[in-house]
Coordinates of all heavy atoms in Angstrom, one line a residue:
F27 N -9.0 -10.6 1.4 CA -8.0 -11.6 1.0 C -7.2 -11.1 -0.1 O -7.6 -10.4 -1.0 CB -8.7 -12.8 0.5 CG -9.6 -13.5 1.6 CD1 -10.9 -13.4 1.5 CD2 -8.9 -14.2 2.6 CE1 -11.7 -14.1 2.5 CE2 -9.7 -14.9 3.5 CZ -11.1 -14.8 3.5
Y28 N -5.9 -11.4 -0.1 CA -5.0 -11.1 -1.2 C -4.4 -12.4 -1.7 O -4.0 -13.3 -0.9 CB -3.8 -10.2 -0.7 CG -4.2 -8.8 -0.4 CD1 -4.4 -8.4 0.9 CD2 -4.4 -8.0 -1.4 CE1 -4.8 -7.1 1.1 CE2 -4.7 -6.6 -1.2 CZ -5.0 -6.2 0.1 OH -5.3 -4.9 0.3
F29 N -4.6 -12.6 -3.0 CA -4.0 -13.8 -3.6 C -2.9 -13.4 -4.5 O -3.0 -12.5 -5.4 CB -5.1 -14.5 -4.5 CG -6.3 -15.0 -3.8 CD1 -7.4 -14.2 -3.8 CD2 -6.2 -16.2 -3.1 CE1 -8.5 -14.7 -3.1 CE2 -7.3 -16.6 -2.3 CZ -8.4 -15.9 -2.4
D30 N -1.7 -14.0 -4.2 CA -0.5 -13.6 -5.0 C -0.4 -14.7 -6.1 O 0.1 -15.8 -5.9 CB 0.8 -13.6 -4.1 CG 2.0 -13.2 -4.8 OD1 1.9 -12.7 -6.0 OD2 3.1 -13.2 -4.2
I31 N -0.8 -14.3 -7.3 CA -0.8 -15.3 -8.4 C 0.3 -14.9 -9.5 O 0.3 -15.4 -10.5 CB -2.2 -15.3 -9.1 CG1 -2.6 -14.0 -9.6 CG2 -3.2 -15.9 -8.1 CD1 -3.8 -14.0 -10.5
A32 N 1.2 -14.0 -9.1 CA 2.2 -13.6 -10.1 C 3.2 -14.7 -10.4 O 3.8 -14.7 -11.5 CB 2.9 -12.4 -9.5
N33 N 3.4 -15.6 -9.5 CA 4.4 -16.7 -9.7 C 3.8 -18.0 -10.2 O 4.6 -19.0 -10.3 CB 5.2 -16.9 -8.4 CG 5.9 -15.6 -8.0 OD1 6.4 -14.9 -8.8 ND2 6.0 -15.5 -6.7
G34 N 2.6 -18.0 -10.5 CA 2.1 -19.4 -11.0 C 0.8 -19.2 -11.7 O 0.2 -18.1 -11.9
G35 N 0.2 -20.3 -12.1 CA -1.1 -20.3 -12.8 C -1.1 -19.7 -14.2 O -2.1 -19.4 -14.7
G36 N 0.0 -19.6 -14.9 CA 0.1 -19.1 -16.2 C -0.2 -17.6 -16.3 O -0.5 -17.1 -17.4
Y37 N 0.0 -16.9 -15.2 CA -0.3 -15.5 -15.2 C 0.9 -14.7 -15.7 O 2.0 -15.1 -15.3 CB -0.7 -15.0 -13.8 CG -1.0 -13.5 -13.7 CD1 -2.1 -13.0 -14.0 CD2 0.0 -12.6 -13.2 CE1 -2.4 -11.7 -14.0 CE2 -0.2 -11.3 -13.1 CZ -1.4 -10.8 -13.5 OH -1.7 -9.5 -13.4
S38 N 0.7 -13.7 -16.5 CA 1.9 -12.9 -17.0 C 1.4 -11.4 -16.9 O 0.2 -11.1 -16.7 CB 2.2 -13.3 -18.4 OG 1.2 -12.9 -19.3
S39 N 2.3 -10.5 -17.1 CA 2.0 -9.1 -17.0 C 1.0 -8.7 -18.1 O 0.4 -7.7 -18.0 CB 3.3 -8.3 -17.1 OG 3.9 -8.5 -18.3
S40 N 0.9 -9.4 -19.3 CA 0.0 -9.0 -20.3 C -1.4 -9.6 -20.1 O -2.3 -9.3 -20.8 CB 0.6 -9.6 -21.6 OG 0.7 -11.0 -21.6
G41 N -1.6 -10.4 -19.1 CA -2.9 -10.9 -18.8 C -2.8 -12.4 -18.4 O -1.8 -13.0 -18.5
G42 N -3.9 -13.0 -18.1 CA -4.0 -14.4 -17.7 C -5.4 -14.7 -17.1 O -6.3 -13.9 -17.2
S43 N -5.5 -15.8 -16.6 CA -6.8 -16.2 -16.0 C -6.6 -16.7 -14.6 O -5.5 -17.2 -14.2 CB -7.4 -17.4 -16.9 OG -6.6 -18.5 -16.8
F44 N -7.6 -16.5 -13.8 CA -7.6 -16.9 -12.4 C -9.0 -17.3 -12.1 O -10.0 -16.6 -12.4 CB -7.2 -15.7 -11.6 CG -7.2 -16.0 -10.1 CD1 -6.3 -16.8 -9.5 CD2 -8.1 -15.3 -9.3 CE1 -6.3 -17.1 -8.2 CE2 -8.2 -15.6 -8.0 CZ -7.2 -16.5 -7.4
S45 N -9.2 -18.4 -11.5 CA -10.6 -18.8 -11.1 C -10.6 -18.9 -9.6 O -9.7 -19.4 -8.9 CB -10.9 -20.1 -11.8 OG -10.1 -21.1 -11.3
L46 N -11.8 -18.6 -9.0 CA -12.0 -18.6 -7.6 C -13.4 -19.2 -7.4 O -14.4 -18.8 -8.0 CB -12.0 -17.2 -7.0 CG -12.3 -17.1 -5.5 CD1 -11.2 -17.8 -4.7 CD2 -12.4 -15.6 -5.1
E47 N -13.5 -20.3 -6.6 CA -14.7 -21.0 -6.4 C -15.1 -20.8 -4.9 O -14.3 -21.0 -4.0 CB -14.5 -22.5 -6.6 CG -15.9 -23.3 -6.4 CD -15.7 -24.7 -6.8 OE1 -14.9 -25.0 -7.7 OE2 -16.4 -25.5 -6.2
V48 N -16.3 -20.3 -4.7 CA -16.8 -19.9 -3.4 C -18.1 -20.7 -3.2 O -18.9 -20.7 -4.0 CB -17.0 -18.4 -3.2 CG1 -17.6 -18.1 -1.9 CG2 -15.8 -17.6 -3.5
E49 N -18.2 -21.4 -2.0 CA -19.4 -22.1 -1.7 C -20.0 -21.6 -0.4 O -19.3 -21.2 0.4 CB -19.1 -23.6 -1.5 CG -18.6 -24.3 -2.8 CD -18.3 -25.8 -2.6 OE1 -18.9 -26.3 -1.6 OE2 -17.6 -26.4 -3.4
S50 N -21.3 -21.7 -0.4 CA -22.0 -21.2 0.8 C -23.2 -22.2 1.0 O -23.8 -22.8 0.1 CB -22.5 -19.8 0.6 OG -23.4 -19.5 1.7
D51 N -23.6 -22.3 2.3 CA -24.8 -23.2 2.6 C -26.0 -22.3 2.9 O -27.0 -22.8 3.4 CB -24.5 -24.0 3.9 CG -24.1 -23.3 5.1 OD1 -23.9 -22.0 5.0 OD2 -24.0 -23.9 6.2
C52 N -25.9 -21.0 2.5 CA -27.0 -20.1 2.6 C -28.1 -20.4 1.6 O -27.7 -20.6 0.4 CB -26.5 -18.7 2.5 SG -27.8 -17.4 2.8
P53 N -29.4 -20.5 2.0 CA -30.4 -20.9 1.0 C -30.7 -19.8 0.0 O -31.2 -20.0 -1.1 CB -31.6 -21.2 1.8 CG -31.4 -20.5 3.1 CD -29.9 -20.4 3.3
R54 N -30.3 -18.5 0.3 CA -30.6 -17.4 -0.6 C -29.3 -17.0 -1.3 O -28.2 -17.3 -0.9 CB -31.1 -16.2 0.3 CG -32.4 -16.6 1.1 CD -32.8 -15.5 2.0 NE -33.0 -14.2 1.3 CZ -33.1 -13.1 2.0 NH1 -33.2 -13.0 3.3 NH2 -33.3 -11.9 1.3
P55 N -29.5 -16.3 -2.4 CA -28.3 -15.9 -3.2 C -27.4 -14.9 -2.4 O -28.0 -14.1 -1.7 CB -28.9 -15.2 -4.4 CG -30.3 -15.7 -4.5 CD -30.7 -16.1 -3.1
V56 N -26.2 -15.1 -2.5 CA -25.2 -14.2 -1.8 C -24.4 -13.4 -2.8 O -23.9 -14.0 -3.8 CB -24.3 -15.1 -0.9 CG1 -23.3 -14.2 -0.2 CG2 -25.1 -15.9 0.1
G57 N -24.3 -12.1 -2.6 CA -23.6 -11.2 -3.5 C -22.1 -11.3 -3.2 O -21.6 -11.5 -2.1
L58 N -21.3 -11.2 -4.3 CA -19.8 -11.3 -4.1 C -19.2 -10.2 -5.0 O -19.6 -10.2 -6.2 CB -19.3 -12.7 -4.5 CG -17.9 -12.9 -4.4 CD1 -17.4 -12.9 -2.9 CD2 -17.5 -14.3 -5.0
S59 N -18.3 -9.5 -4.5 CA -17.7 -8.4 -5.3 C -16.2 -8.7 -5.3 O -15.6 -8.9 -4.2 CB -18.0 -7.1 -4.7 OG -17.3 -6.1 -5.4
L60 N -15.6 -8.7 -6.4 CA -14.1 -8.9 -6.5 C -13.5 -7.7 -7.2 O -14.1 -7.1 -8.1 CB -13.8 -10.1 -7.3 CG -14.2 -11.5 -6.8 CD1 -13.9 -12.5 -7.8 CD2 -13.6 -11.7 -5.5
K61 N -12.3 -7.3 -6.7 CA -11.6 -6.2 -7.3 C -10.2 -6.7 -7.6 O -9.5 -7.1 -6.7 CB -11.6 -5.0 -6.4 CG -10.9 -3.7 -7.0 CD -11.0 -2.6 -6.1 CE -10.4 -1.3 -6.6 NZ -10.4 -0.2 -5.7
V62 N -9.7 -6.5 -8.8 CA -8.4 -7.0 -9.2 C -7.4 -5.8 -9.1 O -7.7 -4.7 -9.7 CB -8.4 -7.5 -10.6 CG1 -7.0 -8.0 -11.1 CG2 -9.3 -8.7 -10.7
L63 N -6.4 -5.9 -8.4 CA -5.4 -4.8 -8.3 C -4.0 -5.3 -8.8 O -3.6 -6.4 -8.5 CB -5.2 -4.5 -6.8 CG -6.5 -3.9 -6.1 CD1 -6.1 -3.7 -4.6 CD2 -6.8 -2.6 -6.6
N64 N -3.4 -4.4 -9.4 CA -2.0 -4.6 -9.8 C -1.1 -3.9 -8.8 O -1.2 -2.7 -8.8 CB -1.7 -4.1 -11.2 CG -0.3 -4.3 -11.7 OD1 0.5 -4.9 -11.0 ND2 0.0 -3.8 -12.8
I65 N -0.4 -4.6 -7.9 CA 0.3 -3.9 -6.8 C 1.7 -3.5 -7.2 O 2.5 -3.1 -6.4 CB 0.3 -4.8 -5.6 CG1 0.9 -6.2 -5.8 CG2 -1.1 -4.9 -5.0 CD1 1.0 -7.0 -4.6
G66 N 2.1 -3.6 -8.5 CA 3.3 -3.0 -9.0 C 4.5 -3.8 -8.5 O 4.5 -4.9 -8.1
P67 N 5.7 -3.1 -8.7 CA 7.0 -3.8 -8.4 C 7.2 -4.1 -6.9 O 8.0 -4.9 -6.6 CB 8.0 -2.8 -9.0 CG 7.3 -1.5 -8.9 CD 5.9 -1.8 -9.2
V68 N 6.5 -3.4 -6.0 CA 6.8 -3.6 -4.6 C 6.1 -5.0 -4.2 O 6.8 -5.7 -3.5 CB 6.2 -2.4 -3.7 CG1 6.4 -2.7 -2.3 CG2 6.9 -1.2 -4.1
G69 N 5.0 -5.3 -4.8 CA 4.4 -6.6 -4.6 C 4.1 -7.0 -3.1 O 3.7 -6.1 -2.3
S70 N 4.3 -8.2 -2.8 CA 4.0 -8.8 -1.5 C 4.9 -8.3 -0.4 O 4.7 -8.6 0.8 CB 3.9 -10.3 -1.6 OG 5.2 -10.8 -2.0
S71 N 6.0 -7.7 -0.8 CA 7.0 -7.2 0.3 C 6.7 -5.8 0.7 O 7.6 -5.2 1.3 CB 8.4 -7.4 -0.3 OG 8.6 -6.5 -1.4
Q72 N 5.5 -5.3 0.5 CA 5.2 -3.9 0.8 C 5.3 -3.6 2.3 O 5.7 -2.5 2.7 CB 3.9 -3.5 0.2 CG 2.7 -4.3 0.7 CD 1.4 -4.0 -0.1 OE1 1.4 -3.0 -0.7 NE2 0.5 -4.8 0.1
Q73 N 5.0 -4.6 3.2 CA 5.2 -4.3 4.6 C 6.6 -4.1 5.0 O 6.9 -3.3 5.9 CB 4.5 -5.5 5.4 CG 3.0 -5.5 5.4 CD 2.5 -6.3 4.2 OE1 3.2 -6.9 3.4 NE2 1.2 -6.3 4.0
W74 N 7.5 -4.9 4.4 CA 8.9 -4.8 4.7 C 9.5 -3.4 4.3 O 10.3 -2.8 4.9 CB 9.7 -6.0 4.2 CG 9.3 -7.3 4.8 CD1 8.6 -8.3 4.2 CD2 9.5 -7.7 6.2 NE1 8.4 -9.3 5.1 CE2 9.0 -8.9 6.3 CE3 10.2 -7.1 7.2 CZ2 9.0 -9.6 7.5 CZ3 10.2 -7.8 8.4 CH2 9.7 -9.0 8.6
V75 N 9.0 -3.0 3.1 CA 9.4 -1.7 2.6 C 9.0 -0.6 3.5 O 9.7 0.3 3.8 CB 8.9 -1.5 1.1 CG1 9.2 -0.1 0.7 CG2 9.6 -2.5 0.2
A76 N 7.8 -0.7 4.0 CA 7.2 0.3 4.9 C 8.0 0.3 6.2 O 8.3 1.4 6.8 CB 5.7 0.1 5.1
L77 N 8.3 -0.9 6.7 CA 9.0 -1.0 8.0 C 10.4 -0.4 7.8 O 10.9 0.4 8.7 CB 9.2 -2.4 8.5 CG 9.9 -2.7 9.7 CD1 9.2 -2.0 10.9 CD2 10.1 -4.1 10.0
A78 N 11.1 -0.7 6.7 CA 12.4 -0.1 6.5 C 12.4 1.4 6.4 O 13.3 2.1 6.9 CB 13.0 -0.8 5.2
L79 N 11.4 1.9 5.7 CA 11.2 3.4 5.5 C 11.0 4.0 6.9 O 11.5 5.1 7.2 CB 10.1 3.7 4.6 CG 9.9 5.1 4.2 CD1 11.1 5.7 3.6 CD2 8.7 5.3 3.3
L80 N 10.1 3.4 7.7 CA 9.9 3.9 9.1 C 11.1 4.0 9.9 O 11.4 4.9 10.6 CB 8.8 3.1 9.7 CG 8.3 3.5 11.1 CD1 7.6 4.9 11.1 CD2 7.5 2.4 11.8
I81 N 11.9 2.9 9.9 CA 13.1 2.8 10.7 C 14.1 3.8 10.2 O 14.8 4.5 11.1 CB 13.7 1.4 10.6 CG1 12.8 0.4 11.4 CG2 15.2 1.3 11.2 CD1 13.2 -1.0 11.3
I82 N 14.3 4.0 8.9 CA 15.2 5.0 8.4 C 14.8 6.4 8.8 O 15.6 7.3 9.3 CB 15.3 4.9 6.9 CG1 16.0 3.6 6.5 CG2 16.0 6.1 6.2 CD1 16.0 3.3 5.0
V83 N 13.5 6.7 8.7 CA 13.0 8.1 9.1 C 13.2 8.3 10.6 O 13.7 9.4 10.9 CB 11.5 8.2 8.7 CG1 10.9 9.5 9.3 CG2 11.4 8.4 7.2
F84 N 12.9 7.4 11.4 CA 13.1 7.5 12.8 C 14.5 7.7 13.2 O 14.9 8.5 14.1 CB 12.5 6.4 13.6 CG 11.0 6.5 13.9 CD1 10.2 5.4 14.2 CD2 10.4 7.8 13.9 CE1 8.8 5.6 14.4 CE2 9.0 8.0 14.1 CZ 8.3 6.8 14.4
A85 N 15.4 6.9 12.5 CA 16.8 7.0 12.8 C 17.4 8.4 12.4 O 18.2 9.0 13.2 CB 17.6 5.9 12.1
L86 N 16.9 8.9 11.3 CA 17.4 10.3 10.9 C 16.8 11.3 11.8 O 17.5 12.3 12.1 CB 17.0 10.5 9.4 CG 17.8 9.7 8.4 CD1 17.2 9.9 7.0 CD2 19.3 10.1 8.5
I87 N 15.6 11.2 12.3 CA 15.0 12.2 13.2 C 15.8 12.1 14.6 O 16.1 13.1 15.2 CB 13.5 11.9 13.4 CG1 12.8 12.4 12.2 CG2 13.0 12.7 14.6 CD1 11.3 12.0 12.2
I88 N 16.1 10.9 15.1 CA 16.7 10.8 16.4 C 18.2 11.3 16.3 O 18.6 11.9 17.3 CB 16.7 9.3 16.8 CG1 15.3 8.9 17.2 CG2 17.7 9.0 18.0 CD1 15.1 7.4 17.4
T89 N 18.9 11.0 15.2 CA 20.3 11.5 15.2 C 20.4 12.9 14.9 O 21.5 13.5 15.0 CB 21.1 10.7 14.1 OG1 20.4 10.8 12.8 CG2 21.1 9.2 14.5
E90 N 19.3 13.6 14.4 CA 19.3 15.0 14.1 C 20.3 15.4 13.1 O 20.9 16.5 13.2 CB 19.4 15.8 15.4 CG 18.2 15.6 16.3 CD 18.3 16.5 17.6 OE1 19.3 17.3 17.7 OE2 17.4 16.5 18.4
V91 N 20.6 14.6 12.1 CA 21.5 14.9 11.0 C 20.9 16.0 10.2 O 21.6 16.9 9.8 CB 21.8 13.6 10.2 CG1 22.6 14.0 9.0 CG2 22.4 12.5 11.1
V92 N 19.6 15.9 9.9 CA 18.9 16.9 9.1 C 17.6 17.2 9.9 O 17.2 16.5 10.8 CB 18.4 16.2 7.7 CG1 17.7 17.3 6.9 CG2 19.6 15.7 7.0
H93 N 17.1 18.4 9.7 CA 16.0 18.9 10.5 C 14.8 17.9 10.4 O 14.5 17.4 9.3 CB 15.6 20.3 10.1 CG 14.6 21.0 11.0 ND1 13.3 20.8 11.0 CD2 14.9 21.8 12.1 CE1 12.8 21.5 12.0 NE2 13.8 22.1 12.7
R94 N 14.1 17.7 11.5 CA 13.1 16.7 11.5 C 11.9 17.0 10.6 O 11.2 16.1 10.1 CB 12.6 16.4 12.9 CG 12.0 17.6 13.6 CD 11.5 17.3 15.0 NE 11.0 18.5 15.7 CZ 11.7 19.2 16.5 NH1 12.9 18.9 16.8 NH2 11.2 20.3 17.1
T95 N 11.6 18.3 10.3 CA 10.6 18.6 9.4 C 10.9 18.1 8.0 O 10.1 17.6 7.2 CB 10.3 20.1 9.4 OG1 10.0 20.5 10.7 CG2 9.1 20.5 8.5
L96 N 12.2 18.3 7.6 CA 12.6 17.9 6.2 C 12.6 16.4 6.1 O 12.1 15.9 5.1 CB 14.0 18.5 5.9 CG 14.6 18.1 4.6 CD1 13.7 18.7 3.5 CD2 16.0 18.6 4.5
I97 N 13.0 15.7 7.2 CA 13.0 14.2 7.1 C 11.5 13.8 7.1 O 11.3 12.8 6.3 CB 13.7 13.7 8.4 CG1 15.2 14.0 8.3 CG2 13.5 12.2 8.5 CD1 15.9 13.5 7.1
A98 N 10.6 14.3 7.8 CA 9.2 13.9 7.8 C 8.6 14.2 6.4 O 7.9 13.3 5.9 CB 8.4 14.6 8.8
F99 N 9.0 15.3 5.8 CA 8.5 15.6 4.4 C 9.0 14.6 3.4 O 8.3 14.0 2.6 CB 8.9 17.0 4.0 CG 8.5 17.3 2.6 CD1 7.2 17.5 2.3 CD2 9.5 17.3 1.6 CE1 6.8 17.8 0.9 CE2 9.2 17.6 0.3 CZ 7.8 17.9 0.0
M100 N 10.3 14.2 3.5 CA 10.9 13.3 2.7 C 10.3 11.9 2.8 O 10.1 11.1 1.8 CB 12.5 13.2 2.8 CG 13.1 14.5 2.3 SD 14.9 14.7 2.7 CE 15.5 13.2 2.0
G101 N 10.1 11.5 4.1 CA 9.4 10.2 4.4 C 8.0 10.2 3.7 O 7.6 9.1 3.1
A102 N 7.2 11.2 3.9 CA 5.9 11.3 3.3 C 6.0 11.2 1.8 O 5.1 10.5 1.1 CB 5.2 12.5 3.8
A103 N 6.9 11.9 1.2 CA 7.1 11.9 -0.2 C 7.5 10.5 -0.7 O 7.0 10.0 -1.7 CB 8.1 12.9 -0.7
A104 N 8.3 9.8 0.1 CA 8.7 8.4 -0.3 C 7.5 7.5 -0.2 O 7.3 6.6 -1.1 CB 9.8 7.9 0.6
V105 N 6.6 7.7 0.8 CA 5.4 6.8 0.9 C 4.5 7.1 -0.3 O 4.0 6.1 -0.9 CB 4.7 7.1 2.2 CG1 3.3 6.5 2.2 CG2 5.5 6.6 3.4
L106 N 4.3 8.3 -0.7 CA 3.5 8.6 -1.9 C 4.1 8.1 -3.2 O 3.4 7.6 -4.0 CB 3.3 10.1 -2.0 CG 2.3 10.7 -0.9 CD1 2.3 12.2 -1.1 CD2 1.0 10.1 -1.0
F107 N 5.4 8.1 -3.3 CA 6.1 7.5 -4.4 C 5.9 6.0 -4.5 O 5.6 5.5 -5.6 CB 7.6 7.9 -4.4 CG 8.4 7.2 -5.5 CD1 8.2 7.8 -6.8 CD2 9.2 6.2 -5.3 CE1 9.0 7.2 -7.9 CE2 9.9 5.6 -6.4 CZ 9.8 6.1 -7.6
I108 N 6.0 5.3 -3.3 CA 5.8 3.9 -3.3 C 4.3 3.6 -3.6 O 4.0 2.6 -4.4 CB 6.2 3.3 -2.0 CG1 7.7 3.4 -1.8 CG2 5.7 1.9 -1.8 CD1 8.2 3.0 -0.4
L109 N 3.4 4.4 -3.2 CA 2.0 4.1 -3.5 C 1.7 4.4 -5.0 O 0.9 3.7 -5.6 CB 1.1 5.1 -2.7 CG 0.9 4.7 -1.2 CD1 0.1 5.7 -0.5 CD2 0.1 3.3 -1.1
A110 N 2.4 5.3 -5.6 CA 2.3 5.5 -7.0 C 2.9 4.3 -7.8 O 2.3 3.9 -8.8 CB 3.0 6.8 -7.4
L111 N 4.0 3.7 -7.3 CA 4.5 2.5 -8.0 C 3.5 1.4 -7.9 O 3.5 0.5 -8.8 CB 5.8 2.1 -7.3 CG 7.0 2.9 -7.6 CD1 8.2 2.4 -6.8 CD2 7.4 2.9 -9.1
E112 N 2.7 1.3 -6.9 CA 1.8 0.2 -6.7 C 0.4 0.6 -7.4 O -0.5 -0.2 -7.2 CB 1.5 0.0 -5.2 CG 2.7 -0.5 -4.4 CD 2.4 -0.7 -3.0 OE1 1.3 -0.3 -2.5 OE2 3.2 -1.2 -2.3
H113 N 0.3 1.7 -8.0 CA -0.9 2.1 -8.7 C -2.0 2.4 -7.7 O -3.2 2.0 -8.0 CB -1.3 1.2 -9.8 CG -0.3 0.9 -10.8 ND1 0.2 1.8 -11.7 CD2 0.5 -0.3 -11.0 CE1 1.2 1.2 -12.4 NE2 1.3 0.0 -12.0
R114 N -1.7 2.8 -6.5 CA -2.7 3.0 -5.4 C -2.6 4.5 -4.9 O -2.9 4.7 -3.7 CB -2.5 2.1 -4.3 CG -2.7 0.6 -4.6 CD -2.6 -0.3 -3.4 NE -1.9 0.3 -2.3 CZ -1.7 -0.4 -1.1 NH1 -2.2 -1.6 -1.1 NH2 -1.2 0.2 -0.2
L115 N -2.2 5.4 -5.7 CA -2.1 6.8 -5.3 C -3.4 7.4 -5.0 O -4.3 7.4 -5.8 CB -1.4 7.6 -6.4 CG -0.9 9.0 -6.0 CD1 0.1 8.9 -4.9 CD2 -0.4 9.7 -7.2
P116 N -3.6 7.9 -3.7 CA -4.9 8.4 -3.3 C -5.1 9.8 -3.9 O -4.2 10.5 -4.4 CB -4.8 8.5 -1.8 CG -3.4 8.6 -1.5 CD -2.7 7.9 -2.6
N117 N -6.3 10.3 -3.8 CA -6.6 11.6 -4.3 C -6.1 12.7 -3.3 O -5.7 12.4 -2.2 CB -8.1 11.8 -4.7 CG -9.0 11.6 -3.5 OD1 -8.6 11.8 -2.4 ND2 -10.2 11.3 -3.8
V118 N -6.1 14.0 -3.7 CA -5.6 15.0 -3.0 C -6.3 15.2 -1.6 O -5.8 15.5 -0.6 CB -5.5 16.3 -3.7 CG1 -5.1 17.5 -2.9 CG2 -4.6 16.2 -4.9
Y119 N -7.7 15.0 -1.7 CA -8.5 15.2 -0.4 C -8.2 14.1 0.6 O -8.1 14.5 1.8 CB -10.0 15.1 -0.8 CG -10.4 16.2 -1.7 CD1 -10.8 16.0 -3.0 CD2 -10.4 17.6 -1.3 CE1 -11.2 17.0 -3.9 CE2 -10.8 18.6 -2.1 CZ -11.2 18.3 -3.4 OH -11.5 19.3 -4.2
T120 N -7.8 12.9 0.2 CA -7.4 11.9 1.1 C -6.1 12.2 1.7 O -5.9 12.1 2.9 CB -7.3 10.5 0.4 OG1 -8.6 10.2 -0.2 CG2 -7.0 9.5 1.4
I121 N -5.2 12.7 0.9 CA -3.8 13.1 1.4 C -4.0 14.2 2.4 O -3.3 14.3 3.5 CB -2.9 13.4 0.2 CG1 -2.7 12.2 -0.6 CG2 -1.6 14.0 0.8 CD1 -1.9 12.5 -1.9
M122 N -4.8 15.2 2.1 CA -5.0 16.3 3.0 C -5.6 15.8 4.4 O -5.3 16.4 5.4 CB -5.9 17.4 2.4 CG -5.3 18.1 1.2 SD -3.8 19.1 1.7 CE -4.6 20.4 2.5
G123 N -6.5 14.8 4.3 CA -7.0 14.3 5.5 C -6.0 13.6 6.4 O -6.1 13.4 7.6
W124 N -4.9 13.0 5.8 CA -3.8 12.4 6.5 C -3.0 13.4 7.3 O -2.3 13.0 8.2 CB -2.9 11.6 5.6 CG -3.5 10.4 5.0 CD1 -4.7 9.8 5.3 CD2 -3.0 9.7 3.9 NE1 -4.9 8.7 4.5 CE2 -3.9 8.7 3.6 CE3 -1.9 9.9 3.0 CZ2 -3.7 7.7 2.6 CZ3 -1.7 8.9 2.1 CH2 -2.6 7.9 1.8
M125 N -3.0 14.6 6.9 CA -2.1 15.6 7.5 C -2.7 16.1 8.9 O -3.9 16.3 9.0 CB -2.0 16.9 6.6 CG -1.3 16.6 5.3 SD -1.3 17.9 4.1 CE -0.6 19.2 5.0
D126 N -1.8 16.2 9.9 CA -2.1 16.7 11.2 C -1.7 18.2 11.3 O -0.5 18.4 11.4 CB -1.5 15.8 12.3 CG -1.8 16.3 13.7 OD1 -2.8 17.1 13.8 OD2 -1.2 15.8 14.6
H127 N -2.6 19.1 11.2 CA -2.3 20.5 11.2 C -2.0 21.1 12.6 O -1.6 22.2 12.7 CB -3.4 21.3 10.5 CG -3.6 20.9 9.1 ND1 -2.8 21.3 8.1 CD2 -4.6 20.2 8.5 CE1 -3.2 20.8 6.9 NE2 -4.3 20.1 7.2
G128 N -2.2 20.2 13.6 CA -2.1 20.7 15.0 C -0.6 20.6 15.5 O -0.3 21.1 16.5
T129 N 0.3 20.0 14.7 CA 1.6 19.8 15.2 C 2.6 20.6 14.4 O 2.4 21.0 13.3 CB 2.1 18.3 15.1 OG1 1.9 17.9 13.8 CG2 1.2 17.5 16.0

């Protein structure tokens, strides 16, 4: 679940409070783990940013204005830049796992 509390509830960039009440009819204790993420300036529109980036990269590859390898590299760099803005930049081993060395 993602809760967008940036626009309400007295939340500000310097901090705030958020409460979540969870109920269960299970007779035994149930564990619950929460992780708070700051998704940066892209925020809840990250899917639209990714779609726009994908369309731009495909359009540049199809029109062959610039070599497709350079466009693919620039698209990957843009994705990593956006992830860095969202404070979700993966480690180098994860990025190397994303690469397809067979193409």
Side-chain angles (χ1 to χ4, degrees):
F27 296 106
Y28 286 101
F29 297 102
D30 188 6
I31 60 171
N33 297 327
Y37 180 79
S38 68
S39 62
S40 62
S43 62
F44 177 70
S45 63
L46 176 66
E47 184 176 330
V48 179
E49 294 183 20
S50 172
D51 58 354
C52 183
R54 298 174 57 191
V56 177
L58 181 66
S59 175
L60 296 175
K61 183 176 182 182
V62 178
L63 297 174
N64 181 4
I65 57 174
V68 178
S70 60
S71 63
Q72 59 189 345
Q73 288 88 5
W74 294 109
V75 172
L77 179 65
L79 184 63
L80 181 69
I81 290 172
I82 290 170
V83 167
F84 276 158
L86 289 172
I87 288 174
I88 289 170
T89 58
E90 296 183 358
V91 175
V92 183
H93 196 273
R94 62 182 176 258
T95 305
L96 181 61
I97 294 299
F99 176 75
M100 290 172 59
V105 167
L106 290 175
F107 178 73
I108 291 170
L109 285 174
L111 285 177
E112 295 176 353
H113 307 290
R114 298 184 341 179
L115 190 64
N117 59 24
V118 175
Y119 296 113
T120 304
I121 295 171
M122 293 295 287
W124 291 345
M125 294 171 56
D126 183 12
H127 298 286
T129 57

